[in-house]
């Protein structure tokens, strides 16, 4: 079943261009305002993510997300305490911060 692979929704962010939904399995779906899926942000098949970064977000629940005002970037917090900055348009990881929070990021 698909929900077993992606998990249930755990975080939500809405701005003037996109609706972003984070899940229990660390996947973030980005929809436009017509509910068309525009991007799936995760570690699977994403060449912009190093192996070390894959390991820190793989299977980690998304605990908070926010899309910036122009909709080009999204920041996500995970249960591992990791923060990841994503390029929403390209679907790539721009940066991750691993050593700041020892506990889950919450809103």
């Amino acid at each position: 079943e698909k929900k077993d692979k992606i998990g249930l929704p755990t975080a939500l962010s809405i701005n003037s261009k996109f609706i972003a939904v984070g899940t229990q399995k660390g996947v973030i779906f980005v929809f436009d305002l017509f509910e068309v899926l525009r991007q799936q942000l995760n570690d699977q098949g994403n060449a912009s993510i190093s192996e070390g970064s894959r390991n820190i977000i793989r299977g980690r629940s998304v605990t908070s997300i926010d899309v910036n005002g122009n909709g080009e970037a999204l920041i996500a917090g995970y249960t591992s305490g990791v923060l990841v900055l994503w390029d929403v348009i390209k679907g790539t990881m721009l940066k991750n911060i691993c050593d700041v929070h020892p506990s889950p990021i919450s809103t």
Side-chain angles (χ1 to χ4, degrees):
E1 211 174 300
K2 189 164 186 132
K3 73 177 179 181
D4 292 335
K5 292 181 182 176
I6 60 171
L8 296 172
T10 56
L12 176 73
S13 180
I14 302 170
N15 81 349
S16 62
K17 292 183 180 181
F18 297 114
I19 301 166
V21 180
T23 71
Q24 289 174 318
K25 303 285 184 167
V27 180
I28 301 170
F29 295 100
V30 181
F31 299 91
D32 65 20
L33 298 181
F34 298 103
E35 299 177 17
V36 174
L37 182 63
R38 293 297 177 185
Q39 206 60 261
Q40 181 174 327
L41 306 173
N42 64 353
D43 67 318
Q44 299 299 314
N46 194 324
S48 73
I49 302 175
S50 69
E51 190 58 37
S53 295
R54 279 183 212 288
N55 291 335
I56 60 172
I57 63 172
R58 181 174 289 136
R60 307 289 186 170
S61 180
V62 177
T63 53
S64 62
I65 49 178
D66 194 25
V67 181
N68 77 335
N70 65 12
E72 294 180 5
L74 177 149
I75 192 157
Y78 295 82
T79 53
S80 60
V82 171
L83 289 169
V84 176
L85 181 63
W86 294 95
D87 181 317
V88 173
I89 307 305
K90 295 178 183 175
T92 57
M93 180 187 285
L94 298 173
K95 185 172 185 150
N96 68 63
I97 302 169
C98 306
D99 55 358
V100 176
H101 296 277
S103 59
I105 306 296
S106 59
T107 332

